[in-house]
Amino acid sequence: MYNSIISSFSFVLVTTLVLFLPGWLFLNIFLNAKLTKLETFILSVPLSLSISTLLILIFGKFDIPITKTNISLILICLLLFEFIIYKLKKPNKFLEEKKLSKTQLSLLLISIVLMVGIKAGFLINTIFPTATDLGHHMFWVEKIISSEKLTSYSKIKVIPKDITKAPTSSAEFSAPEPIADFIIGEHIIFVIISLLSNISIVSAFPSLVLFVINIFTAFVLLILAFRLFDKFPQGKNSAILSFLFIGPLYAISGAQEKFVSGGVIGNIIGNLLILSILFFLFISLTKKSKKSLFVAILLIFTII
């Protein structure tokens, strides 16, 4: 029981450290004058995901061992650097939050509760992968952890031989060939969390990470809808209606919780990044913000 509590606390702490804090400090330093506090909170997740992933890609580029010590040091240095700049920088005021009526706020809160509840209820019975994707991805995660370096993806084919010509050997193996449809960035966030929290990949944590990312994807859609419909008479109602469809009414279908339980990592992360890119591109166009354009390009580079 005690170990379970410690493990859960470690997972929450590390996930917050890796998936929230780097992006939150980054946005507070560069873009707080263009965003509301709620937008900053929500967009901290895709920014943190991007920053954490790119850091480990740099490790691979310079052959730095991917160990708990090295990751901890680089994250601590990054957070301290961001925090110092944040404290030295003259603070800007956040934009005012969108004021909602009591009815609108109630409908939004009910939609959030329904979305999280339906998704969590579905995931309880499918916390381990219901398809092969997550297990396959976790194989590569474990390989990166054990080898302490980014791996190169390759496969070996079994080539049947004519048994009439070679009766003692019915098959042979091909030389290793690259696997084109495996993307190294899909695995990095799981490597970081597993190393820092000491949680085994054979657990619920990969699905829970995807669950968090999926929830925040819906939240990014909400703040994007608020921005897009801001000038329309029924803009707030339209944004809430959009969230109602993508949240509770679309909770467990494909690209939602079925993709979470199935471990379709590329789609889950890609959805979050694409909506975030659209948000920052919209801000850069409407507010003529070069910094927002830079963030959009950073997220595009992360997908690439």
Side-chain angles (χ1 to χ4, degrees):
M1 180 68 178
Y2 178 77
N3 289 336
S4 177
I5 293 174
I6 294 297
S7 179
S8 299
F9 176 78
S10 175
F11 170 74
V12 172
L13 180 64
V14 169
T15 303
T16 302
L17 175 69
V18 175
L19 274 182
F20 176 75
L21 202 51
W24 185 82
L25 286 170
F26 182 91
L27 291 174
N28 272 274
I29 292 168
F30 293 106
L31 280 175
N32 56 338
K34 304 293 183 183
L35 305 174
T36 67
K37 289 182 178 180
L38 178 63
E39 289 171 343
T40 302
F41 172 77
I42 292 171
L43 293 166
S44 295
V45 173
L47 259 295
S48 296
L49 181 66
S50 176
I51 292 169
S52 300
T53 299
L54 293 175
L55 282 176
I56 303 305
L57 287 175
I58 293 173
F59 273 40
K61 180 66 176 177
F62 293 99
D63 294 323
I64 301 172
I66 301 173
T67 63
K68 181 177 181 177
T69 301
N70 287 342
I71 292 176
S72 299
L73 286 173
I74 194 68
L75 275 176
I76 290 171
C77 290
L78 171 68
L79 293 175
L80 282 175
F81 176 72
E82 287 186 323
F83 184 74
I84 291 170
I85 295 178
Y86 172 68
K87 284 297 183 181
L88 293 176
K89 180 178 176 291
K90 186 178 180 180
N92 295 317
K93 291 183 178 180
F94 288 94
L95 291 181
E96 289 187 11
E97 302 289 349
K98 309 256 185 306
K99 292 184 179 179
L100 303 176
S101 67
K102 289 184 178 180
T103 302
Q104 290 171 332
L105 184 60
S106 298
L107 182 58
L108 182 58
L109 291 175
I110 290 170
S111 298
I112 292 173
V113 171
L114 282 174
M115 177 185 69
V116 175
I118 293 170
K119 288 173 178 287
F122 175 82
L123 199 61
I124 285 173
N125 297 320
T126 57
I127 194 69
F128 286 103
T130 54
T132 60
D133 288 34
L134 190 56
H136 203 172
H137 283 299
M138 290 307 108
F139 166 81
W140 294 106
V141 170
E142 181 60 33
K143 189 168 184 179
I144 294 170
I145 292 172
S146 60
S147 65
E148 298 183 352
K149 63 181 181 180
L150 298 180
T151 185
S152 58
Y153 302 112
S154 60
K155 61 184 177 181
I156 298 175
K157 292 182 179 179
V158 179
I159 304 172
K161 293 177 66 176
D162 188 345
I163 59 173
T164 60
K165 295 181 180 179
T168 59
S169 179
S170 59
E172 61 183 11
F173 297 103
S174 69
E177 300 175 4
I179 301 176
D181 60 343
F182 272 85
I183 312 301
I184 187 66
E186 294 178 352
H187 305 147
I188 287 177
I189 193 66
F190 301 96
V191 172
I192 297 173
I193 293 175
S194 180
L195 280 173
L196 295 184
S197 64
N198 292 322
I199 297 177
S200 170
I201 60 171
V202 186
S203 66
F205 110 76
S207 292
L208 290 175
V209 171
L210 291 178
F211 178 74
V212 171
I213 292 173
N214 185 239
I215 291 293
F216 272 84
T217 301
F219 288 155
V220 173
L221 178 76
L222 175 65
I223 60 175
L224 176 60
F226 273 130
R227 287 280 187 165
L228 291 173
F229 302 142
D230 187 44
K231 303 301 182 182
F232 293 91
Q234 296 296 322
K236 293 184 180 68
N237 291 334
S238 300
I240 294 170
L241 184 63
S242 300
F243 182 78
L244 178 65
F245 275 96
I246 200 66
L249 299 181
Y250 194 45
I252 63 172
S253 59
Q256 292 286 309
E257 219 55 21
K258 286 185 179 178
F259 274 22
V260 170
S261 64
V264 190
I265 296 174
N267 294 67
I268 295 294
I269 295 178
N271 291 340
L272 175 68
L273 294 178
I274 289 169
L275 285 174
S276 302
I277 289 166
L278 293 175
F279 182 92
F280 284 111
L281 286 176
F282 182 78
I283 298 298
S284 69
L285 291 172
T286 56
K287 303 296 183 182
K288 301 188 183 325
S289 170
K290 293 180 181 179
K291 293 178 179 179
S292 297
L293 180 60
F294 169 77
V295 177
I297 292 172
L298 175 65
L299 294 175
I300 291 171
F301 182 71
T302 304
I303 290 183
I304 294 173

